[in-house]
Amino acid sequence: MTGQAPPSYNGTAMDTLTTVIAVVALIVPAALVYLAALRFRSGANALPKETAPRDTEEDNLPQEGAGDAVAEALSSPTPSEVSATRLPSRKDVAGLRKGLAATRGGFMSRLQALFTGGKEIDPAILERLEEVMLSSDVGVRTTHAILERLREKLAKKELTDSDAVWAALRGEATRILDDGGTSTERRAAGDPSPKPVVVLMVGVNGVGKTTSIGKLATKWSAEGKTVMLAAGDTFRAAAVQQLEVWGKRVGADVVRGKDGSDPGAVAFEATKKAQEAGADVLLVDTAGRLHTKVNLMDEIKKVKRTLAKAMAGAPHETFLVIDATTGQNALTQAALFKESLELTGLILTKLDGTAKGGIVLGICDELKVPVRYIGLGERAEDLREFVAVDFVEALFGRDPDDAGTV
């Protein structure tokens, strides 16, 4: 093959080669542009989007309208101050404050005056506290017990300023008032749901016993209960007539006897009729009696024994009605009635008419009998179920415009 010339390409081959080179020149840049676009798009997708939902701390904050509930929880007594699981109700507390205006303007305003003007504790504050409490019908025994507990905390350096002393005083009030347990715990253990529930109402003359019966009947009738009334005050015709007026008003049957008849017989008949009628509640009125008269107290014991004969376990509740405006005399009444009867609860009437609301603390502490209802006015709805948490908040809590006081 030596001496031969190398093969040459013809024109057709050269044209094909040129075309291939041109196509490659077009495809490569386009491919590079396409790859760059893909890289840019993937990078953009990796960035956080502003519209994507985020789980932040702001998302976990209470929504609008929930602030009131949080505020109530923050301003309510701490677990160490109150054993009840119930928190104060703003509506209930507001109503109580209105009804307790006289006490807040008297007893409580004098207490608050001791805690204004500075944070430091005045060494003489306990002596001044004692003076205010004794003059507000808290009672000697209860006053000394509260002050002794405060002295112990002061000695242990647990109370460093006036705010701490006020909080401790409030805690003592809650402890005393919340010591009565619940209504269910006080019911007869053998029959937790008696029908009817027989409620014996006792008290001295003029305390508002018959009126309280009418208000309780109004309350329970509104709750859908069938109520029956027993006119056991057979010595006072006006009491029977008053009870009959309440009975007509709330649609409750009234069992009465002849004037001067045996109150025990009336109570017995009423219990039997209530059982036959399937009534839910029987309220038994009794004659007002002086707690110092032995024969009258013996008579009320007889009524109670008669009720037990008519129905096992009756009376299921024995309420002593007390006029809160009588001060320390109310405590004496309650003590003597407790000696004669097994009291299950107290009804404090006319609490809106006294500036010495300390009697509530004295009675609960000395007698260990729970307050069940308090009267704060003339209307039926003004007889309120007693809730220690609400009561303490109404007395010791601050109004919205009290920012500068304890």
Side-chain angles (χ1 to χ4, degrees):
M1 295 294 297
T2 58
Q4 293 182 351
S8 60
Y9 294 98
N10 57 25
T12 302
M14 290 297 295
D15 291 340
T16 301
L17 180 61
T18 301
T19 301
V20 171
I21 292 173
V23 171
V24 170
L26 291 174
I27 291 176
V28 170
L32 293 174
V33 171
Y34 179 73
L35 290 175
L38 285 179
R39 291 180 63 184
F40 176 80
R41 183 178 300 176
S42 62
N45 287 338
L47 295 175
K49 295 182 180 179
E50 293 184 0
T51 57
R54 292 182 297 169
D55 189 11
T56 65
E57 290 183 359
E58 292 181 358
D59 297 328
N60 296 324
L61 292 176
Q63 300 300 311
E64 184 177 355
D68 290 344
V70 175
E72 284 187 16
L74 292 177
S75 63
S76 62
T78 61
S80 62
E81 294 176 324
V82 58
S83 60
T85 56
R86 185 188 184 282
L87 294 179
S89 162
R90 281 192 173 183
K91 182 178 179 181
D92 291 342
V93 169
L96 280 171
R97 279 184 177 158
K98 183 178 179 180
L100 294 170
T103 293
R104 282 177 61 84
F107 173 38
M108 295 308 299
S109 66
R110 292 175 64 198
L111 278 181
Q112 287 183 350
L114 301 179
F115 294 87
T116 57
K119 289 286 185 180
E120 294 184 2
I121 300 177
D122 185 342
I125 192 171
L126 294 185
E127 285 72 16
R128 295 174 184 173
L129 266 175
E130 180 177 19
E131 179 184 347
V132 172
M133 293 171 72
L134 288 176
S135 62
S136 300
D137 289 328
V138 174
V140 175
R141 175 179 167 182
T142 303
T143 296
H144 288 172
I146 291 175
L147 293 180
E148 185 60 32
R149 291 172 70 93
L150 293 181
R151 286 191 182 96
E152 291 176 1
K153 293 183 178 181
L154 281 170
K156 296 177 181 178
K157 307 295 184 182
E158 295 178 6
L159 307 180
T160 57
D161 55 33
S162 59
D163 286 348
V165 177
W166 180 263
L169 184 61
R170 173 175 172 157
E172 286 298 309
T174 304
R175 179 188 61 80
I176 291 171
L177 296 176
D178 199 44
D179 196 33
T182 63
S183 177
T184 303
E185 292 169 347
R186 288 188 292 264
R187 285 282 171 81
D191 187 5
S193 302
K195 193 170 184 179
V197 174
V198 180
V199 182
L200 180 64
M201 304 285 287
V202 300
V204 302
N205 293 311
V207 296
K209 182 165 34 56
T210 305
T211 300
S212 295
I213 290 176
K215 291 179 178 180
L216 286 175
T218 302
K219 168 183 169 59
W220 289 331
S221 294
E223 293 174 357
K225 296 181 174 64
T226 304
V227 181
M228 188 174 287
L229 309 178
D233 188 354
T234 59
F235 300 105
R236 191 166 65 94
V240 178
Q241 295 171 2
Q242 185 182 1
L243 208 61
E244 288 181 327
V245 170
W246 278 108
K248 291 179 181 179
R249 187 179 300 173
V250 302
D253 291 336
V254 179
V255 178
R256 57 172 297 178
K258 296 180 180 180
D259 292 344
S261 61
D262 180 13
V266 175
F268 186 91
E269 180 185 358
T271 303
K272 290 300 183 183
K273 286 187 175 181
Q275 287 178 306
E276 294 170 1
D280 297 305
V281 183
L282 171 64
L283 287 160
V284 182
D285 193 11
T286 58
R289 58 201 69 243
L290 293 174
H291 50 285
T292 55
K293 298 294 184 180
V294 177
N295 60 326
L296 293 178
M297 296 302 290
D298 288 341
E299 185 178 273
I300 197 67
K301 292 179 185 177
K302 178 183 175 182
V303 172
K304 185 173 183 178
R305 290 194 300 269
T306 303
L307 287 171
K309 292 178 181 178
M311 179 181 180
H316 307 100
E317 302 277 14
T318 301
F319 290 166
L320 173 63
V321 184
I322 295 177
D323 182 348
T325 64
T326 59
Q328 286 299 298
N329 190 39
L331 180 57
T332 303
Q333 292 174 24
L336 292 174
F337 269 98
K338 186 184 179 184
E339 288 180 6
S340 300
L341 300 167
E342 186 181 349
L343 300 176
T344 62
L346 303 174
I347 297 178
L348 284 175
T349 62
K350 309 176 187 179
L351 196 56
D352 58 318
T354 179
K356 299 180 178 182
I359 188 62
V360 182
L361 292 171
I363 288 179
C364 286
D365 183 53
E366 294 197 28
L367 300 183
K368 307 303 180 185
V369 177
V371 176
R372 302 289 291 279
Y373 296 91
I374 52 176
L376 298 173
E378 297 296 329
R379 302 174 303 172
E381 57 267 30
D382 290 330
L383 184 67
R384 291 171 171 264
E385 187 171 355
F386 183 81
V387 179
V389 177
D390 290 347
F391 189 81
V392 172
E393 177 64 24
L395 281 184
F396 287 83
R398 284 185 286 183
D399 290 322
D401 56 350
D402 287 345
T405 61
V406 175

